[in-house]
Amino acid sequence: MFREYKSFIKLQELAKNPVDLTKEGFLSSERIHEMKLEICGWKMLYGTERIDNEVLENLIKLSEEARVFLKMKDMQDMKVMNFVSNCKSEERMVGHTAIRAQSISSNMSKEAKEAYEESQVELKKLEEFVSKTSEFKHMVVCGIGGSYLGALAISKALKGLHKTNRTLHFASNVDPDKIATILEEIDLSKTIVAVISKSGGTMEIKAQEQMLKNRFLEKGLNPKDHFVMVTGKGSPMDNPLLYREIFYMWDFIGGRYSVSSMVGGVPIAFICGFDVWSEFLKGASDMDTHALHEKDVKKNMPLMGALLGIWNRNFLNLNTLCIVPYSSSLDLWAGHIQQLYMESNGKRVSQDSGKFIDFSTCPIIFGTCGTEGQHSYFQAIHQGTVTVPLEYIGFFNPQHNTDQEIEGTLNQEKLLSNLFAQAISLARGQSSENPNQYFPGNRPSRMLLTNTLSAYAMGSLLSYYENIAAFQGFIWGINSFDQEGVQLGKLIANKIVEEYKSHRITKKFGADKSLDVEIAFMKELEDLSTKDRHENSKFA
């Protein structure tokens, strides 16, 4: 459907001769002021994107042809959005917006109301848990993929709001060295372990949990007094005899969309307090409401972000997006958005037909803090042969009240000066008779700015990106809510683990009395070559 929209054809024509940001006088203050919108305390400035009013009007028509508001309403009403026609798929509702709603409204669907009510039960448990665990100083989070990355990024972002007597550690890797390092830094008698597994059967999480429980037992501590579980109702880990508390998550929330569930709630409320977590949810909910109800596309921040991304990806044929926060607190943010975008929209199958599509979807996402990036990969962004769109994130005031005026300016002002300078120099470029000092310019970017990195701002920023992923999926006509691409590697890994187990049982060791690390790998390759090649060829 995407390529069949009338606006698609027009946008292709416009992309043959896009605006030139280096043109004298083009980047005027009037343009910057006109191409600006604001919501939830955030400002988006997109005058440094390679668009004009004609491109913008046709992008708006594209969103209308794709019926994005109808699909956003269906998603927030928790209709089944996680499906692919004519293919075996998960066939699930999508409910991450419902569980962070602030109240029940008259226009909420029955399913969204039920999800909201269930989430309130978990929030009440969480509030009581935080108040009853004041004697604990440490929390170790056992999670992997979507069960840790977002929570880790946001807990780091809210560092300035952490309670002074608490620390948070993420055992996100089955690597025994990682857990050993954490154990060196904590007092087990003052530690809570939060185990996160929706299915209750993830191999890595089970191994992490047992390794930690063994250490508690060695110290004479009862694991039940120190372990809490976040899982699906009825999962193998839903056992109140084994855990101090059990928090529930639901099938209708995918891992990368789970930060606003108990996946994020348990660690962030522990480290920051329940009131901070509540403010975070309010920010996310307010941006959700804006995404659904602001029908003027020029004022709808997530939809504008989605359309600018599609213009760059599908019409200017730019294959990447660099997310650059000018805040050390957000140094893990690009990693979370990388998972959110690439796991959501790294797809090649039409949701309506189940057939392969013939256009590009998700770009490659990367990024780091701005000042660090300026002194490394920005060289290639400025003068390299590949044009990389950027999205900057900046704050007018620091999170910590420790800034100082040095040589006439605050450090936060110096930080923002670098952000603005990068946007201007990448857009305008620099002419020079010396080819080595020539900057081509015409490199598109946009920026998001707010007062300070508060819990509310962090929640609304999360929702902004989540709704961009949804809007883009709606326009491309793909399923943004499954992750089949993750499953194949898991399946083969489990087979290889069984090979290791078999060789250990039969004591097929190498000459140095250790397991031959290549045996299982080669065995699986042989199996695939003889059993799966013919089956896979049918879909090539």
Side-chain angles (χ1 to χ4, degrees), residues 113-405:
K113 288 178 182 177
E114 290 175 352
Y116 167 81
E117 289 169 351
E118 289 183 35
S119 72
Q120 293 305 298
V121 173
E122 298 307 304
L123 284 170
K124 183 64 175 176
K125 284 162 56 178
L126 178 62
E127 185 176 18
E128 293 174 354
F129 168 77
V130 171
S131 67
K132 291 178 180 179
T133 54
S134 58
E135 74 274 19
F136 289 93
K137 295 182 178 181
H138 314 283
M139 177 176 281
V140 178
V141 180
C142 293
I144 196 168
S147 294
Y148 99 96
L149 188 55
L152 173 62
I154 290 169
S155 65
K156 175 69 183 295
L158 300 179
K159 176 69 175 177
L161 303 178
H162 285 195
K163 293 181 177 295
T164 56
N165 62 337
R166 289 192 161 179
T167 63
L168 196 58
H169 307 265
F170 286 82
S172 58
N173 195 316
V174 75
D175 182 353
D177 289 340
K178 174 68 174 178
I179 295 177
T181 300
I182 292 174
L183 289 170
E184 290 173 356
E185 300 173 354
I186 61 177
D187 175 357
L188 288 182
S189 68
K190 299 293 184 180
T191 297
I192 287 282
V193 177
V195 183
I196 303 175
S197 175
K198 181 163 67 174
S199 68
T202 306
M203 173 182 65
E204 294 92 340
I205 303 305
K206 291 165 71 176
Q208 288 175 350
E209 180 185 25
Q210 192 57 55
M211 190 173 182
L212 287 166
K213 281 186 173 180
N214 290 343
R215 186 58 66 92
F216 276 86
L217 290 169
E218 290 169 8
K219 295 291 184 179
L221 299 169
N222 183 356
K224 186 180 186 301
D225 297 332
H226 295 266
F227 280 66
V228 300
M229 169 57 64
V230 181
T231 191
K233 284 187 178 181
S235 86
M237 289 180 164
D238 183 11
N239 186 344
L241 298 177
L242 299 178
Y243 301 100
R244 180 188 182 105
E245 187 71 76
I246 295 178
F247 299 95
Y248 291 117
M249 52 196 301
W250 303 274
D251 282 344
F252 54 71
I253 299 178
R256 61 196 175 278
Y257 293 97
S258 68
V259 183
S260 48
S261 73
M262 291 299 105
V263 169
V266 171
I268 295 171
F270 175 85
I271 196 70
C272 294
F274 186 79
D275 56 338
V276 171
W277 179 243
S278 297
E279 275 299 298
F280 172 82
L281 294 181
K282 187 177 189 308
S285 180
D286 286 354
M287 185 65 81
D288 292 337
T289 300
H290 166 75
L292 175 61
H293 293 291
E294 180 52 80
K295 297 303 193 291
D296 184 344
V297 177
K298 292 183 179 180
K299 296 180 180 179
N300 190 310
M301 190 176 291
L303 182 51
M304 180 62 71
L307 292 171
L308 292 170
I310 283 177
W311 169 248
N312 288 332
R313 181 69 173 116
N314 295 104
F315 300 100
L316 298 186
N317 298 314
L318 304 177
N319 299 326
T320 61
L321 172 63
C322 184
I323 296 173
V324 188
Y326 275 74
S327 167
S328 60
S329 296
L330 286 173
D331 64 351
L332 301 177
W333 187 242
H336 175 56
I337 303 308
Q338 181 183 74
Q339 181 191 20
L340 172 66
Y341 279 10
M342 297 180 73
E343 197 168 80
S344 295
N345 292 336
K347 311 291 174 57
R348 63 190 308 130
V349 176
S350 165
Q351 188 172 36
D352 289 335
S353 69
K355 296 181 179 179
F356 293 131
I357 57 179
D358 59 353
F359 53 84
S360 298
T361 54
C362 185
I364 302 298
I365 308 296
F366 71 103
T368 61
C369 290
T371 49
E372 286 86 344
Q374 287 176 206
H375 295 277
S376 60
Y377 58 85
F378 267 51
Q379 166 61 45
I381 292 177
H382 275 286
Q383 290 185 299
T385 57
V386 176
T387 298
V388 177
L390 297 99
E391 184 164 57
Y392 303 101
I393 304 171
F395 304 92
F396 297 117
N397 295 292
Q399 194 178 64
H400 300 263
N401 296 318
T402 57
D403 201 2
Q404 296 181 12
E405 182 179 314

Side-chain angles (χ1 to χ4, degrees), residues 398-415:
Q399 194 178 64
H400 300 263
N401 296 318
T402 57
D403 201 2
Q404 296 181 12
E405 182 179 314
I406 298 174
E407 296 182 350
T409 58
L410 296 170
N411 283 343
Q412 191 70 17
E413 292 169 340
K414 296 180 178 70
L415 195 62

